[in-house]
Structure formats: structure tokens, C-alpha cells
Amino acid sequence: MAEAVANGHISGDGPFTRKCHAVLQQELGVQKVLLTTSCTHALEMSALLLDIEPGDEVIVPSFTFVSTVNAFVLRGARPIFVDIRPDTLNIDESQLERLITRRAKAIVVVHYAGVACEMDVIMDVAGRRTIPVVEDNAHALFGKYKGRYLGTFGCLATQSFHETKNLTCGEGGALLMNDAQFVDRAEILREKGTNRSRFFRGQVDKYTWVDIGSSYLPSDILAAFLYGQLEARAQIQRKRRRVWEYYSSHLRDWIADYDIRVPVVPAHCEQPYHMFYLLMPSLETRQALIAHLKRRGILSVFHYLPLHLSDVGRRFGGKPGDCPVTEDLSDRLLRLPFYNNLTESDQAHVVGAIREFLEKS
Ligand SMILES: Cc1ncc(COP(=O)(O)O)c(C=O)c1O
């Protein structure tokens, strides 16, 4: 970050932004990457690039962060909520055919906890109807499906570098483009609707207003922070793997006796160790365990209230029973503390507190 300041280029698209683009493009094998100010903004850019308009339908999981859907609703789209699979908690690909109408303009998938959606089926269904697929890859940077990086399947994919993610710059994101037709327009949308990027490359002698757009590019100071994280990616991923495997090996064998489940990672998926969760037997036991852990000084949290039952989701016609698996699992999911520098003794404390709770109940 000091180097970014010394470079005299702290606005967007400076040397560190270019370095981040290069690392992500090379490592993932993506045609073009553009850093953005957040994953939310990368999703908003996706909706603009796909020309989403009022009346269009967008196929989305109900079990996701609000931005996955909001970015498209902002353009006037109507969300069509899909339930999740009970094993991976990812969009249930077997329901897509039934829910896609002629108005469907995009399918947005989320690789929950970094574990891949069933991309073969999803790409096949989308391909037969020529509907673009966007991967919300916020959890899944460096995750793989059948040996191929997540974020390389859809025509567009989005990353988050929010502080809760494996790699971070506080607030940040990226748009991944796997189809060259989007690249020129994406640069314009990201630069306030101007062709400033072409101007900086010397391709035009002045820049002007050529399209709608906004300011979606992060400061090079943030890109410098992110570049440091990218340089340390192997080390960060090693630490996260250790944390994940500690929980898995110290919980897996005995919690099944209490009707509790840990994440399922199918053999054809490589996960980037983004989170570890428990699926408790009921809402009551989940809430009681959160309270018990809190008394022991341990923060555990639930995740994703079903979007189809939110205030906005209901305005789009969402009602109880629409996505039964989502409604059930959302009540029972509990995320355990997961930080790069969590020590084994921290984790032993967490596991011990869970054991204590179960033995008492
Ligand atoms: C699946 C998913 N998509 C999008 C986002 C939004 O990311 P950001 O905070 O970078 O906008 C999040 C944030 O946690 C998320 O979990």
C-alpha cells in the first residue's frame, strides 16, 4: 500500500490493479478480469451487461445473500426463486426446467460455502435454451468442479473480497468474463459510462460519455492490499484447510449420534475451505447452541434467511412452502468461527463447548 502511494497512482486501474488482474486471469484461466468495489457491484455490472430489463425473469436460489438477487431486481427483473439441494445447499438443478419460462434472461448460481453447484446439468439446461449463466462465486475463489475452476463456467462470474472472504481487501470484488463480447462494454460501465480505459491505453485521443455506467473501480491502495493477499494465497488456503479439517475430524464421527450434520463435499468438487457449518436437528436446538456458545465466549452465526420470505421476496409473491428445503435448512444452519489464524486451542475450545452442550441436552 505504501508502494501504491509512492507510485503516485492511488485512483483506480493503477499498477496494482493490473497485477491483480494478471494473477487472477492467469491462475483461473479467465479471458478478462476487472476488479470492482464489491461483489455486489460486479453483480450489478452483470445485470447491465446482460441488458436485464423490466419484465425479465432471473432464476436464482432463495438461499443466498441479497445482492445475488438485488443486482437484477435493480434493473427491473422479477426473481424466480429456486429451492436448494439438501446435501450441498446449492441451487437444485433438477428444478430449473420447470421454472424457466420464455421471459427468463439469466440463471444466477451460487457455489455455497465454496462447494460447486452441479455445473454440467446447469450449463446443459441453460445452453439448450441459450440463457446466460452468471456464477456468484463470492465463496468459491479457487474452488473446482471436476477439475475446473469455479468462475470459469458462466459467461460472467463475480468475486467478493469483503473481509469475511478467504482473500480480502476490506471491501472489494471482481467481475470475471469468460466471453470476450462483454469486455469492451464492461470497461465502459465500470468507468462511469465513458471510454476512459481506451483513452488511458492510447486507443482514442479523448474520452467521452458513450453508455450508461457508474464508478465500479477500486482505489489502487485497495488493489495493493489485495495483491498482497493474492501473493499469500497458498499460505492462506493452507491455513483455512487446516481449520476446516480440524473441525471435520474432531466433530464428524460423534455428532451424527446427535442427528447433526456437517458440510457435504462431493468427490468431484474441490472446495476452497470458506466455511464450516453444522446442520442442527431443529431451530430450537440451533438457537440453544448459539446461546450456549455465546456464554462460552464463542461467536457462532446463522446464515441466509430465505429471500422468497423476505419483505421484498413476498412482494414478488414468495410464500411459505415455495422452497421447503431452504426454509428448513435455513432454520437449522449454524456457522462455526472460521478465521485464518484460529489456533488449535481455539478450535478445541469450540469443539469442547459443543460436546458439553450435547452431553447436557
Ligand atoms: C453469495 C454472496 N454474494 C454476494 C455477496 C456480496 O459481496 P460484497 O460484500 O463483496 O458485495 C456476498 C457477501 O457476503 C455473498 O455471500
Side-chain angles (χ1 to χ4, degrees):
M1 292 170 88
E3 204 179 315
V5 175
N7 281 339
H9 188 141
I10 58 171
S11 58
D13 279 342
F16 282 104
T17 305
R18 286 197 290 276
K19 283 176 181 225
C20 291
H21 290 170
V23 172
L24 288 166
Q25 276 160 206
Q26 277 158 23
E27 175 107 17
L28 301 176
V30 172
Q31 292 218 9
K32 179 77 181 168
V33 173
L34 289 175
L35 289 194
T36 57
T37 29
S38 64
C39 184
T40 302
H41 280 164
L43 286 159
E44 287 180 18
M45 285 180 68
S46 304
L48 287 165
L49 287 168
L50 296 176
D51 288 321
I52 302 295
E53 290 173 350
D56 291 341
E57 292 179 352
V58 176
I59 313 291
V60 287
S62 171
F63 188 68
T64 183
F65 191 72
V66 63
S67 298
T68 316
V69 185
N70 222 356
F72 294 85
V73 168
L74 257 176
R75 311 308 316 156
R78 175 184 183 77
I80 304 296
F81 292 110
V82 186
D83 208 353
I84 48 172
R85 297 168 55 111
D87 54 357
T88 56
L89 282 52
N90 282 329
I91 195 164
D92 183 348
E93 70 284 354
S94 70
Q95 300 199 17
L96 292 177
E97 294 270 13
R98 184 174 64 80
L99 293 168
I100 292 173
T101 72
R102 269 184 292 115
R103 286 188 294 276
K105 280 284 283 291
I107 299 173
V108 190
V109 301
V110 178
H111 305 297
Y112 184 71
V115 177
C117 298
E118 278 309 316
M119 293 314 291
D120 281 351
V121 177
I122 292 167
M123 296 311 291
D124 180 54
V125 172
R128 274 187 281 117
R129 299 180 182 237
T130 55
I131 300 175
V133 172
V134 178
E135 294 175 80
D136 179 340
N137 207 32
H139 299 181
L141 181 61
F142 306 133
K144 288 183 178 171
Y145 174 77
K146 299 189 177 173
R148 178 169 156 191
Y149 277 121
L150 298 176
T152 65
F153 289 85
C155 58
L156 298 167
T158 63
Q159 297 300 150
S160 174
F161 300 115
H162 183 263
E163 94 176 314
T164 50
K165 302 303 183 292
N166 289 21
L167 301 192
T168 179
C169 58
E171 298 276 358
L175 178 68
L176 277 44
M177 284 169 272
N178 295 303
D179 184 338
Q181 65 156 319
F182 294 116
V183 175
D184 288 347
R185 187 158 186 239
E187 286 186 343
I188 290 166
L189 296 175
R190 178 168 164 272
E191 266 284 21
K192 301 91 179 164
T194 72
N195 54 355
R196 187 148 81 167
S197 302
R198 300 193 61 161
F199 171 71
F200 283 142
R201 285 196 298 267
Q203 292 167 320
V204 286
D205 57 7
K206 56 185 181 310
Y207 75 87
T208 184
W209 184 17
V210 292
D211 201 338
I212 56 169
S214 190
S215 187
Y216 291 130
L217 69 173
S219 154
D220 220 47
I221 299 180
L222 284 181
F225 192 103
L226 182 64
Y227 187 64
Q229 295 266 294
L230 283 166
E231 282 184 318
R233 62 192 179 281
Q235 191 189 340
I236 291 170
Q237 291 301 101
R238 255 197 314 278
K239 286 183 174 187
R240 298 191 73 90
R241 179 177 179 164
R242 195 200 56 69
V243 172
W244 199 95
E245 285 180 347
Y246 184 98
Y247 280 138
S248 177
S249 61
H250 287 79
L251 291 165
R252 192 175 289 276
D253 289 344
W254 55 274
I255 52 170
D257 296 344
Y258 296 91
D259 198 18
I260 300 175
R261 221 196 72 191
V262 294
V264 172
V265 184
H268 56 277
C269 300
E270 279 170 56
Q271 59 144 334
Y273 306 100
H274 178 55
M275 77 168 85
F276 196 94
Y277 60 82
L278 301 179
L279 283 171
M280 300 296 290
S282 64
L283 172 66
E284 293 69 33
T285 49
R286 197 265 309 265
Q287 296 306 92
L289 180 54
I290 290 177
H292 171 82
L293 293 175
K294 193 172 173 200
R295 285 193 295 275
R296 299 284 176 278
I298 299 163
L299 178 70
S300 63
V301 286
F302 58 87
H303 211 203
Y304 297 153
L305 298 174
L307 285 180
H308 69 286
L309 298 180
S310 64
D311 288 352
V312 179
R314 282 177 194 265
R315 270 187 249 149
F316 283 110
K319 52 185 185 325
D322 285 352
C323 299
V325 181
T326 302
E327 290 164 36
D328 173 38
L329 298 188
S330 156
D331 275 350
R332 300 197 280 118
L333 189 142
L334 177 153
R335 296 173 65 179
L336 295 180
F338 203 117
Y339 306 98
N340 297 348
N341 291 329
L342 213 58
T343 62
E344 290 206 351
S345 93
D346 291 332
Q347 289 190 276
H349 179 51
V350 176
V351 171
I354 297 171
R355 197 180 270 273
E356 181 192 21
F357 171 81
L358 295 174
E359 282 166 1
K360 260 194 346 204
S361 56

